[in-house]
């Protein structure tokens, strides 16, 4: 915030594997870069427990108030990578109650149950309504304003994900 002099939003995600005591967590990017995603299922071959939790943490700071949120999706690690959608470890994460990896799901289907969606929903519920509405006098139309703001947040979330994939710095407009 101090550098930009405007509100900032930060997000990170990780993959906590129960058999490994929560490792790699946010270090999953390091595992991906050093060993590759296909190595995750191979390294778990000696373990019966393949349970994992996808975790996303988001924080918003406007110079006066910090609002943080977290979202989780429980699941397991597939025996081998499957699917071509998504990015990162989506090819090996199977959400609880399903038999397909995130990478085998349509983006809309994944978004309904993803850790990121849950974190964004939690953040949106914690931000004061006036932030979405623009001013206290507009709170009578807040539901429409909230929907519009959430749509804008979703668009920024996609831009952030795309920036992360390309490893380009991202500054929202």
């Amino acid at each position: 915030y101090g550098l930009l002099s405007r509100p900032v939003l930060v997000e990170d995600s990780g993959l906590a594997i129960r058999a490994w005591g929560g490792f790699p967590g946010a270090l999953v990017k390091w595992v991906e870069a050093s060993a590759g995603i296909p190595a995750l299922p191979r390294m778990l071959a000696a373990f019966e427990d393949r349970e994992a939790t996808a975790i996303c943490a988001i924080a918003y700071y406007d110079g006066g108030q910090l609002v943080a949120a977290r979202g989780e999706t429980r699941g397991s690690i597939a025996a081998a990578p499957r699917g071509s959608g998504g990015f990162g470890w989506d090819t090996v994460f199977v959400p609880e109650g399903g038999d397909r990896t995130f990478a085998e799901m349509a983006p809309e289907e994944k978004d309904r149950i993803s850790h990121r969606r849950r974190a964004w929903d939690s953040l949106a519920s914690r931000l004061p309504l006036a932030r979405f509405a623009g001013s206290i006098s507009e709170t009578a139309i807040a539901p429409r304003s909230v929907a519009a703001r959430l749509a804008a947040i979703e668009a920024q979330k996609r831009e952030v994900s795309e920036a992360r994939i390309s490893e380009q710095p991202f500054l929202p407009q």
Side-chain angles (χ1 to χ4, degrees):
Y1 177 84
L3 190 61
L4 299 174
S5 298
R6 62 181 178 172
V8 293
L9 186 78
V10 294
E11 180 263 359
D12 199 9
S13 63
L15 184 63
I17 298 174
R18 193 165 87 172
W20 298 341
F23 182 80
L27 298 176
V28 71
K29 294 164 208 66
W30 174 80
V31 172
E32 181 180 359
S34 61
I37 292 303
L40 283 172
R42 287 196 311 267
M43 291 188 292
L44 269 173
F47 297 86
E48 272 187 50
D49 185 359
R50 299 183 75 82
E51 287 186 40
T53 303
I55 302 167
C56 177
I58 303 175
Y60 169 89
Y61 183 65
D62 63 7
Q65 183 179 11
L66 174 66
V67 182
R70 179 182 167 119
E72 294 185 1
T73 299
R74 297 193 185 287
S76 62
I77 302 300
R82 300 190 320 247
S84 58
F87 61 94
W89 41 267
D90 284 357
T91 59
V92 297
F93 185 76
V94 178
E96 191 171 66
D99 59 358
R100 293 177 297 144
T101 66
F102 271 170
E104 293 174 301
M105 297 177 176
E108 303 79 29
E109 182 183 8
K110 174 190 169 190
D111 191 47
R112 281 193 300 273
I113 61 170
S114 78
H115 53 298
R116 280 197 173 94
R117 171 62 178 263
R118 292 172 177 167
W120 283 98
D121 286 351
S122 178
L123 181 73
S125 73
R126 291 183 173 145
L127 289 174
L129 204 55
R131 277 213 183 99
F132 291 117
S135 74
I136 300 298
S137 64
E138 292 179 27
T139 56
I141 59 166
R144 276 195 200 138
S145 297
V146 169
R149 184 64 181 133
L150 288 176
I153 288 172
E154 286 296 318
Q156 284 185 348
K157 179 175 73 168
R158 282 188 291 280
E159 289 178 35
V160 169
S161 294
E162 290 167 8
R164 173 187 274 163
I165 291 168
S166 65
E167 297 186 13
Q168 299 292 321
F170 173 78
L171 293 173
Q173 299 300 327

